[in-house]
């Protein structure tokens, strides 16, 4: 057989072998949960990707690590391989990989670091830490469920504590024996399945079943009688500590996740219950049984821990212990005005007082005289009233639902007083309380009290209100006919004389520092009001005008004045005798402004000038040409054809724009683009600097206003073509080029171009449109910095075939009617 046939044959065999080899590992990684035989699995041959697939399967199946361990053991996996698999799974979970392929493949840790054991039966603490996947196991209303549903709760044994002296050693524990002093020795010894350890030069010593303290004494005695005699004299010392804690197997029945669990030998009942998810939905919290060697050694009541913090039931576990959680016998629910609402388990001979203790008692607003019980008698529901006297004698039934109501929002002995007393408030109604007594409780009448009449607002039996008036002076004098006796919920009102007066004011406006409305005070003078307003401003004139309201009963046809005007000139208002004029309520004082007083007005020159910046107008008719000269003229690079004026819209212009906007909304049907143009704060005025400099003071030479800004841009030697052309672009300015030349440079007109509506925007903001006369078209001239804009034609809607047929039919009918009329 030639080489050309041999080589492909071996190549195919090699590829087939590689495929089978990797397929085997893939199957191992993918089917380890479903596989029937795991005896041939070698964890060391599995890659990190295979371990990740196994971890994904475990998470998807919802199995715990202990359940996976039991499943693997039943399918033939050896104890050593199970230990290796658990170690690899923990490493993958914590982000540690054995192989990195030359890269740092660290991942975010999902679990905090825990103390790890390398022995085959090492403890898996993931049930204590996998809080992100914990689900509510039972109804959160059940008292005690928070121990097993809260992510914060945990009863994980603390493996970092010093070795407890009462710890009982057993198989697979590891201890460290240290001898120090004259003689020295240190060694780690694992307790064999028979309960023994082997010490060099000493022999085999049985330690199983002994506490650490007992083992220490036994080793000191045995080793002192052997190779370490200085232990007997005290010249050497001996210490024993744990280096590895064994696991024990505990069977939990009746929990949310029942099964056999491998736990630390330091674990307690509460820790085992937490790992198993706590009692099931119908499990008891109060009659949990701890069974050891076939006998119940303790009944655990979690309420002792929940209510009093008593951990006497949290005893340590031993190997092969059984925790049995029976179903509850009786549960009741309490809600409403108690401090802890929920569902509580009740033992026989516990009354309602005990349930109230479970609920931490009533709230401050609870109606404690009586509560409601909703019961089920086997056929239908019924309601029962439980009064306070029967709390200690009522023994609940399973399913009782207690509801504690809230007290009523009403007072049995309240009266109120408001108005012109020193302490208006609510007061208690005592036997025989009179009006005078209540006023004295409120510290008496204020000076502004209206003493001729007061009122009592009283609620009738049907809760409607009535009013009772009284003479305040006579009440305070002790008149029995006026000093009425008060009733529950009476409201006494004594008005202030200021409440019965109109609010009086005076107004000052014009050239004062703080113009505004001021409270009228009796005998206030013009001078007093001016001083309250901060005095006169610099622009104040000596002319003052007072407008005084005319109060009269009627207006005649010949006398229809509404106010009286008082005006006078004062050389010095504050020192003039006329300034002592007494004002009347509602007077309006106006201080006039000096005619020649005007605040400085400023304009700004920006851009390409010699001296840009702000300039004060020295005349009310100062023009652009004057400011241009004051700014030192334009720089060489300035584009004089692009100069424009930026002017802030005045109030009168804004009012006009508002009217334009209203009209546009009606005519243009709220065209947003058009209306938006009217909503602007500034307007831009093109300036023809050549005309302005050639004829200063002409119409082109604009008169400036306060806040104006004259902008001198840089010279722009380009022409921009935009709109409906094939390639919108910018083109250098060429003298003698027409509009069509620039459009051709941009690729020419597009099919939608509306040539007749072409317009040019110059660099100073001025717009020039295309002009038409008969068959003649005149395009705008082009200057440097211009923009040529070609708009699009309006889309014309074409008639559909149906519309054409309908229109034709209508025309034919109309023609028929016309012919018929002509034949008449």
């Amino acid at each position: 057989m030639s080489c050309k046939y041999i080589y492909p044959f071996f190549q195919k065999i090699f590829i087939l072998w590689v495929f089978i080899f990797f397929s085997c590992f893939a199957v191992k990684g993918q089917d380890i949960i479903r596989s029937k035989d795991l005896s041939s699995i070698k964890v060391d041959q599995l890659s990190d990707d295979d371990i990740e697939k196994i971890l994904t399967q475990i998470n998807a199946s919802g199995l715990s690590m202990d359940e996976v361990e039991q499943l693997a053991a039943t399918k033939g996996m050896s104890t050593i391989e199970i230990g290796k698999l658990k170690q690899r799974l923990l490493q993958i979970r914590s982000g540690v990989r054995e192989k990195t392929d030359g890269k740092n493949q660290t991942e975010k840790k999902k679990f905090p670091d825990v103390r790890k054991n390398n022995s085959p039966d090492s403890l898996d603490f993931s049930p204590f830490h996998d809080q992100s996947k914990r689900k509510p196991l039972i109804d959160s209303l059940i008292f005690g469920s928070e121990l097993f549903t809260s992510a914060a709760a945990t009863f994980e044994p603390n493996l970092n504590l010093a070795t407890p002296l009462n710890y009982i050693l057993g198989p697979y524990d590891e201890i460290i024996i240290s001898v120090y002093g004259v003689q020295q020795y240190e060694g780690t010894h694992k307790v064999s399945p028979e309960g023994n350890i082997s010490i060099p030069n000493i022999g085999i010593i049985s330690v199983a079943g002994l506490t650490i303290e007992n083992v220490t004494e036994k080793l000191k005695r045995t080793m002192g009688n052997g190779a370490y005699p200085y232990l007997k004299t005290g010249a050497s010392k001996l210490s024993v500590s744990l280096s590895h804690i064994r696991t024990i197997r505990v069977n939990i029945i009746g929990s949310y996740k029942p099964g056999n669990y491998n736990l630390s030998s330091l674990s307690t009942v509460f820790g085992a219950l937490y790992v198993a998810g706590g009692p099931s939905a119908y499990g008891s919290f109060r009659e949990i049984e701890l069974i050891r060697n076939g006998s119940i050694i303790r009944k655990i009541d979690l309420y002792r821990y929940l209510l009093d913090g008593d951990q006497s039931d949290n005893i340590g576990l031993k190997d092969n212990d059984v925790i049995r959680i029976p179903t509850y016998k009786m549960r009741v629910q309490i809600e409403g005005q108690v401090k802890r609402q929920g569902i509580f388990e009740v033992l026989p001979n516990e009354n309602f007082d005990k349930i109230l203790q479970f609920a931490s008692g009533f709230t401050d607003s609870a109606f404690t005289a009586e509560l409601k019980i909703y019961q089920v008698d086997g056929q239908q529901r019924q309601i029962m009233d439980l009064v306070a006297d029967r709390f200690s004698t009522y023994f609940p039934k399973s399913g009782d639902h207690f509801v504690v109501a809230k007290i009523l929002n009403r007072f049995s002995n309240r009266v109120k007083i408001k108005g012109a007393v020193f302490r208006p408030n609510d007061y208690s109604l005592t036997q025989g309380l009179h009006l005078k007594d209540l006023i004295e409780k409120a510290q008496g009448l204020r000076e502004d009290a209206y003493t001729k009449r007061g009122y009592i607002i009283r609620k009738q039996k049907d809760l409607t209100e009535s009013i009772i008036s009284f003479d305040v002076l006579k009440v305070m004098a002790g008149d029995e006919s006026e000093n009425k006796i008060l009733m529950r919920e009476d409201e006494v009102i004594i008005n202030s004389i200021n409440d019965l007066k109109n609010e009086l004011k005076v107004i000052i406006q014009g050239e004062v520092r703080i113009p505004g409305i001021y409270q009228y005070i009796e005998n206030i003078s013009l001078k007093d009001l001016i001083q309250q307003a901060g005095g006169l401003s610099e622009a104040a004139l000596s002319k003052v005008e007072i407008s005084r309201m005319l109060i009269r009963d009627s207006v005649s046809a010949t006398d229809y004045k509404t106010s009286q005007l008082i005006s006078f000139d004062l050389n010095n208002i504050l020192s003039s005798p006329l300034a002592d004029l007494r004002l009347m309520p509602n007077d309006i004082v106006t201080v006039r402004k000096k005619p020649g007083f005007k605040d400085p007005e400023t304009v700004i020159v920006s851009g390409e000038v010699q001296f840009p910046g702000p300039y004060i107008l020295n005349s009310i008719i100062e023009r652009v040409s004057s400011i241009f000269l004051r700014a030192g003229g334009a720089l060489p690079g300035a584009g004089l054809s692009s100069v424009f004026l930026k002017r802030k819209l005045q109030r009168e212009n804004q009012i006009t724009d508002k009217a334009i906007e209203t009209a546009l909304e009606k005519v243009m049907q709220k065209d947003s683009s058009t209306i938006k143009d009217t909503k602007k704060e500034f307007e831009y005025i093109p300036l023809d600097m050549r005309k302005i400099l050639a004829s200063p003071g002409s119409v082109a030479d604009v008169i400036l206003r306060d806040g104006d800004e004259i902008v001198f841009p840089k010279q722009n030697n380009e022409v921009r073509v935009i709109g409906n052309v094939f390639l919108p672009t910018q083109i250098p300015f060429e003298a003698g080029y027409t509009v069509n030349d620039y459009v051709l440079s941009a690729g020419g007109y597009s099919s939608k171009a509306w040539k007749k509506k072409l317009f040019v925007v110059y660099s100073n903001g001025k717009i020039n449109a295309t002009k038409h006369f008969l068959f003649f078209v005149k395009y705008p001239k082009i200057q440097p910095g211009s923009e040529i804009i070609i708009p699009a034609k309006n889309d014309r809607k074409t008639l559909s075939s149906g519309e054409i047929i309908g229109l034709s039919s209508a025309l034919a009918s109309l023609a028929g009617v016309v012919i018929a009329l002509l034949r008449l």
Side-chain angles (χ1 to χ4, degrees):
M1 186 181 292
S2 63
C3 293
K4 67 177 182 178
Y5 296 105
I6 295 175
Y7 178 77
F9 174 78
F10 280 105
Q11 185 181 27
K12 292 178 181 179
I13 294 295
F14 176 77
I15 293 173
L16 180 62
W17 180 85
V18 171
F19 175 79
I20 294 173
F21 177 82
F22 284 104
S23 298
C24 291
F25 286 112
V27 169
K28 289 178 183 179
Q30 295 173 2
D31 299 334
I32 192 169
I33 300 298
R34 301 185 181 90
S35 177
K36 295 181 179 179
D37 184 12
L38 301 178
S39 58
S40 61
I41 293 292
K42 300 297 181 183
V43 177
D44 292 337
Q45 296 178 0
L46 298 178
S47 66
D48 286 340
D49 292 335
D50 294 331
I51 299 296
E52 284 185 349
K53 291 177 182 178
I54 295 173
L55 185 60
T56 303
Q57 293 175 8
I58 293 173
N59 294 334
S61 64
L63 297 175
S64 66
M65 191 66 69
D66 292 321
E67 291 171 336
V68 172
E69 180 184 354
Q70 295 172 17
L71 182 64
T74 58
K75 294 183 179 183
M77 182 178 283
S78 66
T79 305
I80 295 176
E81 294 300 326
I82 291 174
K84 291 180 180 179
L85 179 61
K86 290 172 67 175
Q87 182 180 356
R88 292 282 301 279
L89 288 172
L90 287 175
Q91 288 176 348
I92 293 297
R93 274 184 170 179
S94 60
V96 178
R97 287 175 168 264
E98 291 186 348
K99 297 178 181 180
T100 61
D101 298 330
K103 297 181 181 179
N104 185 14
Q105 299 182 5
T106 59
E107 300 177 0
K108 184 178 179 181
K109 290 188 177 182
K110 298 181 180 178
F111 304 95
D113 291 336
V114 297
R115 178 175 176 178
K116 294 183 174 61
N117 250 318
N118 294 324
S119 65
D121 58 346
S122 62
L123 178 64
D124 173 30
F125 290 120
S126 61
F128 291 110
H129 296 286
D130 194 2
Q131 306 294 353
S132 61
K133 298 181 181 178
R134 294 193 68 85
K135 300 177 181 178
L137 310 183
I138 53 178
D139 190 346
S140 60
L141 286 177
I142 296 176
F143 180 57
S145 62
E146 64 271 12
L147 286 178
F148 309 105
T149 59
S150 172
T154 178
F155 295 95
E156 176 189 346
N158 189 349
L159 303 183
N160 297 319
L161 293 174
T163 303
L165 296 178
N166 61 349
Y167 178 77
I168 298 176
L169 290 175
Y172 301 112
D173 278 336
E174 286 185 3
I175 59 175
I176 299 174
I177 302 174
S178 298
V179 177
Y180 53 92
V182 175
Q183 290 181 298
Q184 296 183 356
Y185 170 79
E186 182 168 340
T188 301
H189 302 273
K190 185 175 183 178
V191 181
S192 68
E194 293 77 18
N196 302 322
I197 60 173
S198 177
I199 302 176
N201 302 322
I202 298 297
I204 296 175
I205 302 175
S206 177
V207 295
L210 300 178
T211 64
I212 293 292
E213 187 176 14
N214 293 337
V215 169
T216 303
E217 294 298 326
K218 184 175 182 178
L219 291 176
K220 185 184 297 183
R221 184 174 59 255
T222 304
M223 295 175 70
N225 292 331
Y228 300 92
Y230 284 99
L231 289 174
K232 297 174 65 175
T233 63
S236 294
K237 304 291 183 183
L238 181 142
S239 68
V240 178
S241 60
L242 281 170
S243 64
H244 168 74
I245 299 172
R246 72 184 184 278
T247 61
I248 59 174
R249 185 173 290 272
V250 177
N251 189 8
I252 304 176
I253 305 170
S255 63
Y256 178 75
K257 296 186 292 184
N260 291 321
Y261 289 87
N262 287 338
L263 303 176
S264 164
S265 56
L266 291 176
S267 296
T268 61
V269 172
F270 290 179
L273 289 173
Y274 180 79
V275 172
S280 64
Y282 298 100
S284 171
F285 279 70
R286 307 195 61 188
E287 295 183 306
I288 301 171
E289 299 171 353
L290 177 60
I291 302 172
R292 183 172 294 164
N293 298 325
S295 301
I296 299 174
I297 66 168
R298 194 173 190 103
K299 279 199 172 184
I300 294 136
D301 187 350
L302 292 178
Y303 278 26
R304 282 196 286 265
Y305 171 71
L306 292 167
L307 295 172
D308 305 321
D310 183 0
Q311 295 200 57
S312 58
D313 288 337
N314 192 23
I315 61 177
L317 297 174
K318 293 187 177 181
D319 197 24
N320 295 320
D321 277 354
V322 176
I323 299 176
R324 177 181 173 271
I325 306 174
T327 58
Y328 70 86
K329 295 178 180 177
M330 187 188 308
R331 278 182 184 170
V332 298
Q333 183 175 357
I334 184 168
E335 65 172 293
Q337 299 302 312
V338 290
K339 295 176 182 175
R340 183 192 290 125
Q341 303 182 61
I343 299 172
F344 300 91
E345 185 176 344
V346 182
L347 298 179
N349 300 323
E350 287 185 338
N351 55 22
F352 178 75
D353 278 338
K354 194 69 176 178
I355 299 172
L356 193 59
Q357 180 184 349
F358 295 161
S360 298
F362 294 114
T363 64
D364 296 335
S365 58
F367 178 59
T368 59
E370 183 182 276
L371 53 87
K372 303 293 180 185
I373 308 176
Y374 295 88
Q375 297 177 325
V376 179
D377 63 359
Q379 295 182 354
Q380 57 187 355
R381 299 182 66 84
Q382 64 182 14
I383 189 171
M384 174 181 170
D385 297 329
L386 182 64
V387 295
D389 295 340
R390 295 186 54 203
F391 286 176
S392 59
T393 59
Y394 177 76
F395 293 91
K397 299 178 181 179
S398 185
D400 278 0
H401 188 167
F402 300 91
V403 178
V404 182
K406 194 174 184 179
I407 59 174
L408 299 176
N409 188 22
R410 58 182 296 173
F411 295 86
S412 60
N413 64 336
R414 180 178 66 174
V415 289
K416 305 176 185 178
I417 184 168
K418 297 180 179 179
V421 291
F422 283 103
R423 293 188 180 275
N425 212 329
D426 299 346
Y427 292 92
S428 63
L429 176 63
T430 56
Q431 185 69 28
L433 184 70
H434 289 74
L435 269 172
K436 183 178 179 182
D437 301 329
L438 181 59
I439 294 172
E440 290 175 349
K441 276 189 174 184
Q443 302 295 312
L445 300 172
R446 292 203 313 250
E447 293 81 356
D448 61 335
Y450 181 67
T451 58
K452 292 183 179 182
R453 185 173 294 274
Y455 301 95
I456 302 174
I457 298 176
R458 177 165 294 171
K459 289 187 177 180
Q460 306 299 322
K461 292 182 179 179
D462 60 356
L463 298 182
T464 59
E465 294 182 344
S466 63
I467 189 168
I468 303 171
S469 61
F470 59 89
D471 190 313
V472 179
L473 280 179
K474 290 182 179 181
V475 168
M476 300 308 295
D479 190 332
E480 294 183 1
S481 62
E482 296 290 333
N483 191 20
K484 305 181 187 305
I485 192 168
L486 298 175
M487 300 177 64
R488 186 180 69 85
E489 291 299 314
D490 276 355
E491 185 175 343
V492 179
I493 300 175
I494 299 175
N495 291 320
S496 168
I497 56 174
N498 296 322
D499 295 337
L500 304 177
K501 292 180 180 179
N502 293 328
E503 185 178 358
L504 303 179
K505 60 185 179 180
V506 289
I507 301 173
I508 185 168
Q509 59 188 13
E511 297 303 318
V512 290
R513 299 186 186 279
I514 312 173
I517 301 173
Y518 292 85
Q519 182 182 0
Y520 174 79
I521 303 172
E522 191 173 355
N523 295 325
I524 186 173
S525 65
L526 175 61
K527 182 189 299 184
D528 298 331
L529 181 60
I530 292 174
Q531 288 181 344
Q532 286 188 47
L536 303 175
S537 67
E538 296 178 356
L541 188 64
S542 59
K543 185 176 181 180
V544 178
E545 184 178 270
I546 300 174
S547 176
R548 179 162 295 169
M549 182 186 299
L550 293 178
I551 302 175
R552 51 190 174 181
D553 297 334
S554 61
V555 178
S556 64
T558 58
D559 186 8
Y560 42 79
K561 285 187 177 181
T562 59
S563 63
Q564 176 187 1
L565 294 179
I566 304 172
S567 59
F568 42 82
D569 292 331
L570 302 173
N571 293 328
N572 192 332
I573 292 179
L574 296 181
S575 61
S576 173
L578 295 176
D580 294 326
L581 175 68
R582 296 288 179 254
L583 299 178
M584 300 295 291
N586 300 316
D587 278 357
I588 300 177
V589 179
T590 304
V591 180
R592 298 299 179 188
K593 186 178 182 179
K594 295 177 180 178
F597 189 89
K598 190 173 181 64
D599 293 329
E601 295 182 341
T602 304
V603 295
I604 298 174
V605 180
S606 61
E608 303 300 309
V609 292
Q610 297 287 343
F611 308 110
Y615 288 85
I616 304 298
L617 296 178
N618 58 14
S619 169
I620 60 175
I621 59 170
E622 189 165 6
R623 300 175 181 267
V624 173
S625 58
S626 174
I627 294 296
F628 179 73
L629 294 175
R630 291 170 62 185
L635 292 174
L640 293 181
S641 61
S642 304
V643 180
F644 62 92
L645 178 67
K646 182 180 177 183
R647 173 166 291 173
K648 189 173 182 180
L649 286 175
Q650 302 298 319
R651 189 177 185 279
E652 57 270 17
N653 292 343
Q654 293 176 355
I655 294 174
T656 305
D657 285 345
K658 181 64 177 177
I660 294 172
E661 179 184 342
T662 304
L664 284 172
E665 288 179 352
K666 296 179 181 179
V667 177
M668 304 293 294
Q669 297 181 349
K670 298 185 178 180
D671 184 352
S672 59
S673 61
T674 305
I675 295 172
K676 184 178 179 181
D677 292 340
T678 65
K679 298 179 179 180
K680 55 185 180 180
E681 297 183 10
F682 297 93
E683 57 184 355
Y684 297 88
I685 303 173
L687 298 178
D688 191 338
M689 291 304 297
R690 290 181 175 82
K691 289 184 179 180
I692 291 173
L693 297 178
S695 302
S698 63
V699 177
D701 196 3
V702 178
I703 297 175
L704 298 174
R705 296 179 185 175
D706 185 32
D708 283 353
E709 181 180 357
I710 307 172
V711 181
F712 289 82
K714 285 186 177 181
Q715 177 68 40
N716 183 4
N717 289 322
E718 293 182 347
V719 175
R720 188 180 181 193
V721 183
I722 59 176
N724 287 274
V725 292
F726 283 103
L727 182 62
T729 184
Q730 290 186 349
I731 303 165
F733 174 78
E734 292 286 346
Y737 263 36
T738 64
V739 167
N740 287 327
D741 294 330
Y742 288 106
V743 171
L744 289 174
S745 299
Y749 296 102
S750 68
S751 59
K752 294 183 178 181
W754 200 355
K755 302 177 184 178
K756 294 182 179 180
K757 297 298 181 180
L758 180 148
F759 62 94
V760 175
V761 180
Y762 297 107
S763 57
N764 63 354
K766 186 177 180 180
I767 299 175
N768 199 355
T770 303
K771 297 178 182 179
H772 303 274
F773 179 74
L774 298 178
F775 300 103
F776 301 99
V777 178
K778 183 179 181 181
Y779 290 108
K781 292 183 179 180
I782 304 302
Q783 297 178 3
S786 299
E787 289 188 10
I788 302 172
I789 302 175
I790 301 97
K793 294 179 182 179
N794 295 328
D795 292 333
R796 294 183 179 181
K797 184 179 180 182
T798 59
L799 294 177
S800 64
S801 58
E803 290 173 337
I804 293 174
I805 293 172
L807 183 59
S808 301
S809 300
L811 291 175
S813 299
L814 181 60
V817 171
V818 172
I819 293 171
L821 291 175
L822 293 175
R823 290 178 178 179
L824 292 177

